[in-house]
Amino acid sequence: MNPAHVHPGAPGPAELVVAGAALLATVLYLAAAGRLRRRGDAWPVTRDMSFAAGGVATAWATLGETWGGPFTQHVVRHLVVGMAAPLLCVAARPLTLALRALAPGRARRRLVALAHSGAVGLLLFPPLAAVLDVGGLWLLYRTDLFAATAHRPWPHSAVQVHMAVAGLLFTFAVGGLDPVRRRWGLAVRGATVLAAGAAHAVLARTLYSRPPPGTGFGAADLHQGAQWMYYGGDLVEAGLAVLMGVGWYAAAGRARTRRPRRGSGAGWLTGPAGALGGHHRTPAAGGEP
């Protein structure tokens, strides 16, 4: 396998678009956070740092050089662009920030309408998002698709774009932090992460013993790449679990704070409505501090 397959010498147009979009989103995020602070609203600096780290990591993994053989380089980029960077960006609650930063008007109404649209609700159904993300990886590595994109900049770039978009979609769906049409319960999201993690781990194990069809990576490179996929995937999935736990704990705390004012003491053991199962609709602007 020619190393040019996994990362052509010059970045393709789609890779430039991904890196540029990541950096532009970082600039817009920091500008919106600064606007909130200038008008006296609180917004944690740690979220700025998290989103900026995700944006810079995406740009680096898309355009920069990593270590190891061709397959190891490809896997490291997959881990950064499709898993670690989305986790950092979603943890920063970008939609919540946008809704708070935008002044009432057409732009804000359109963003609310988009977040609450049926299409977005369908795409953020956690099992479907997992199929699009991890299912895409199985299709890439266990069919001839990986070899078919060799020496073809546009198909290769399309793979990079899919990894970035599918990773963001999956992380957003299971994170459940921002106010969208439906926030699925912790049971649905947790089961989805476990299933997706298992599928990802099995895929890594198969790659340790068998390269993608039609490729000829060296054994050492293949083993190193598969190990990165296996252990790196576990680490990011643990981060997702922490993200879900923190989100549930914060939502449960807000629910307990509101409950005495309403004169209700029922259901405190299960946290916020729908937190342990099913789903519930969210307010347009969310209740996030």
Side-chain angles (χ1 to χ4, degrees):
M1 173 60 64
N2 191 323
H5 166 72
V6 292
H7 193 227
E15 288 154 326
L16 291 173
V17 169
V18 171
L23 295 177
L24 177 61
T26 300
V27 171
L28 293 175
Y29 183 99
L30 296 177
R35 180 179 182 181
L36 249 65
R37 296 191 183 100
R38 284 194 296 275
R39 74 185 189 195
D41 292 351
W43 189 258
V45 176
T46 51
R47 293 179 187 172
D48 294 19
M49 297 168 63
S50 180
F51 196 93
V56 171
T58 298
W60 168 79
T62 304
L63 303 177
E65 290 294 332
T66 62
W67 59 93
F71 186 67
T72 302
Q73 292 179 8
H74 176 83
V75 170
V76 170
R77 289 193 176 90
H78 148 62
L79 284 172
V80 174
V81 174
M83 300 185 73
L87 177 63
L88 290 167
C89 291
V90 170
R93 307 188 185 204
L95 179 58
T96 300
L97 173 63
L99 289 172
R100 289 182 57 180
L102 285 173
R106 180 179 299 178
R108 191 179 188 280
R109 287 196 300 272
R110 287 182 174 178
L111 183 58
V112 171
L114 178 64
H116 288 208
S117 66
V120 169
L122 177 63
L123 289 173
L124 293 181
F125 177 48
L128 177 60
V131 169
L132 294 175
D133 187 24
V134 185
L137 295 178
W138 274 88
L139 184 66
L140 176 65
Y141 294 125
R142 293 272 60 105
T143 70
D144 294 329
L145 181 60
F146 194 92
T149 58
H151 313 299
R152 296 174 181 173
W154 280 105
H156 175 77
S157 297
V159 169
Q160 296 290 323
V161 172
H162 173 80
M163 282 188 178
V165 174
L168 273 172
L169 185 67
F170 173 69
T171 309
F172 201 95
V174 300
L177 297 176
D178 280 313
V180 290
R181 183 183 178 89
R182 293 173 176 173
R183 292 197 217 189
W184 292 90
L186 193 60
V188 174
R189 293 183 285 125
T192 300
V193 170
L194 287 176
H200 194 266
V202 171
L203 176 61
R205 285 182 176 276
T206 66
L207 288 171
Y208 190 88
S209 57
R210 290 185 294 118
T215 67
F217 294 115
D221 182 25
L222 189 68
H223 292 171
Q224 187 178 30
Q227 288 172 335
W228 270 99
M229 181 181 288
Y230 185 86
Y231 293 110
D234 281 354
L235 187 63
V236 174
E237 285 146 14
L240 268 177
V242 171
L243 190 70
M244 288 189 298
V246 170
W248 176 82
Y249 183 81
R254 290 195 296 272
R256 282 196 296 271
T257 301
R258 289 194 297 267
R259 194 165 294 118
R261 293 200 298 267
R262 295 172 179 173
S264 172
W268 65 272
L269 285 174
T270 57
L276 294 180
H279 60 79
H280 60 89
R281 294 179 182 274
T282 60
E288 200 272 338

